[in-house]
Amino acid sequence: MNRSLLYVAALSIIFLINSCTDDFTELNTDPKNLTVDNLSQSEYGAVVKAAMYAPAYLPSTAPNDARGAFQLTQSLFSDIYGGYFATTAPNFDSDKFILVGGWLNGAFNYFYGNAAPQIKYAEDFAAENGYELENAMMKVWRVWSYHRITDYWGPIPYSEFGNGERSVPYDSQEDIYRDFFTTLDEAVPVLVSNAGETSFLGANDLIYGGNIDKWLKFANTLRLRLAMRVKYVSLELSRTEAEKAASVGEFISSNDDRAIITTSAPFFTNPYNTITQWGEFRMSADMESILKGYEDPRVSAFVAPADEPDPSDDPAGVEFPYEGMRNGQSRLEKQSNNFNALASNMAEPFTLAGVAGPNYVVMNAAESYFLRAEGALEGWNMGGTAQVFYEEGIITSHEEYGLDGSNLAGNPYVESPNTPASYNGEVPAPSEAPVAYNAGGTKEQQLEQIITQKWIAIYPNSQEAWAEKRRTGYPVFYDRLNTDNAAIPVNTVPRRVPFVDGEFTTNAEAVNAAIDNLLGGPNNGTTKLWWDAKP
């Protein structure tokens, strides 16, 4: 699909989200009628609403059904490579590193056909009409939305998307990330100078209801996430951006300030509540190893007891009916074993059909503490020590689930010496990282603790989990049992996904130029992204 044409065509479905105009039939018939001249301020709110729903995969009404795109983007790739889940479907081979082109084509086309046009329109409309606050908010939202896409593919159409031409050039990931920081430099001062104000968007701002103070916290925490992402490729840039965030001093530090989108039935349900009905995945052995070893009370909020639990490997004195499965099972093993009964499904709130399901978490408070812990570990000015931030991140995550800070054995979680356990009582755990902060350990040992606890706390945000696994190497996972991709061994994960078939048909010159000049390697799953540079 041509990206510039999609920008025009996709605008015609914006109003289906909210039915905000009596002229929808005309707009749908001739999408070019949707211009800055015929939208009122109230109608603009519906555009923003659509721009927020789309990249979070929440729209579920035709023709903007995002449930399939969520499966093709997250469930079949990052959920598996980020370590939260394992595939039970015999005919699905992405867990064995087959990067299925048709699936990726659907994922790419959904973003550029639905999310990207609405984001661009919302940002441009605000700029052209003098909506300074709303423009700043949409700049932040663009950064959040696009960083997830570039972290899948690397170079992507970005700066010239919607250029009105039949070919849309790609940008290098380095240029994209540097523009992210520039964009935040533009947005944050606007948010700072309007502290205490409220956007006219009100409820159409699905995340914060127009609360500018909370948007500032989101923007600043997002900057810190991106600053850490580039640490191994540019330590100077990483430190500069991290300390810039710390100098502003506003982060998502309270669970009340989480960036979330409230789900609703029947149209804007959590996508997991749809795809769990299909019975294609269960908890991974990696999740079982870590949560069981740590006697982590969050497990019951994450997954359900297995239909056929195995109590033989439960921790002493603790009932742990939550079971995981190894990734990379052969097709024959999947056909011969009822893994859907042997391993744990997601927790009940994610598996009830026809309900809104859990709210969609864009970014939570616990992550901000673990990001600052990593910065402090580098000796940067984060306003505290790595250990204090690490422990506060754990406490904040527990509070997010209404827990009192005890582990399943009733002991203080943050003081626990517990380490990951064997998932089946036979195969040793792949890591020995304890819960209690290893103050006398090496910097690398402390980093493993920070990233492992962040991985638990951001569940089920596997897009971020996979990115951090590639960036840092943590958490440490079990090897795959099998790989069907000779280029990707069982002891690693894909570093990216290949460019999609549709681009070679409709945007061939641009995608081939990206491969030749921007990617830095062959167009496959072994080429590392720009920021994936840890020695």
Side-chain angles (χ1 to χ4, degrees), residues 45-46 48-49 52-53 198-210:
V48 171
K49 193 173 185 179
M52 291 182 175
Y53 273 133
T198 301
S199 164
F200 69 75
L201 289 169
N204 286 316
D205 168 11
L206 299 175
I207 301 176
Y208 288 128

Side-chain angles (χ1 to χ4, degrees), residues 158-188:
Y158 176 67
S159 64
E160 295 192 48
F161 172 76
N163 63 3
E165 305 294 332
R166 299 198 65 86
S167 179
V168 184
Y170 282 56
D171 295 86
S172 72
Q173 188 175 59
E174 178 178 2
D175 286 347
I176 293 168
Y177 260 78
R178 289 185 183 278
D179 185 75
F180 288 161
F181 293 126
T182 298
T183 300
L184 292 174
D185 285 341
E186 295 166 354
V188 167

Side-chain angles (χ1 to χ4, degrees), residues 7 11 32 34-41 44 47 117-136 138-139 161-162 200:
Y7 170 52
L11 293 175
K32 292 183 181 180
L34 187 58
T35 69
V36 295
D37 296 326
N38 60 24
L39 279 186
S40 69
Q41 188 180 90
Y44 170 69
V47 179
Q118 295 167 8
I119 293 165
K120 178 172 175 57
Y121 192 88
E123 183 181 344
D124 290 353
F125 183 90
E128 292 177 32
N129 285 272
Y131 300 160
E132 185 182 41
L133 277 178
E134 293 68 34
N135 178 255
M138 292 314 300
K139 285 180 184 297
F161 172 76
F200 69 75

Side-chain angles (χ1 to χ4, degrees), residues 273-293:
N273 287 76
T274 295
I275 68 171
T276 51
Q277 309 304 313
W278 304 337
E280 297 166 348
F281 61 91
R282 289 294 185 265
M283 180 173 76
S284 71
D286 304 300
M287 277 281 281
E288 181 185 356
S289 170
I290 292 171
L291 296 179
K292 181 170 66 179

Side-chain angles (χ1 to χ4, degrees), residues 418-470:
N418 288 6
T419 62
S422 168
Y423 83 100
N424 64 357
E426 299 175 3
V427 182
S431 169
E432 297 180 352
V435 174
Y437 191 75
N438 186 3
T442 66
K443 181 178 175 181
E444 196 65 22
Q445 288 172 328
Q446 293 165 351
L447 178 65
E448 180 180 0
Q449 290 185 280
I450 291 168
I451 301 300
T452 300
Q453 285 295 332
K454 179 164 70 171
W455 178 81
I456 299 171
I458 64 174
Y459 172 92
N461 183 1
S462 64
Q463 295 198 32
E464 187 64 18
W466 179 35
E468 289 295 84
K469 171 65 175 175
R470 287 175 285 167

Side-chain angles (χ1 to χ4, degrees), residues 92-111:
F92 287 1
D93 296 322
S94 57
D95 65 320
K96 297 189 289 293
F97 304 147
I98 299 299
L99 305 175
V100 183
W103 297 349
L104 292 168
N105 206 60
F108 191 86
N109 286 344
Y110 171 79
F111 179 80

Side-chain angles (χ1 to χ4, degrees), residues 185-196:
D185 285 341
E186 295 166 354
V188 167
V190 174
L191 300 175
V192 170
S193 64
N194 287 275

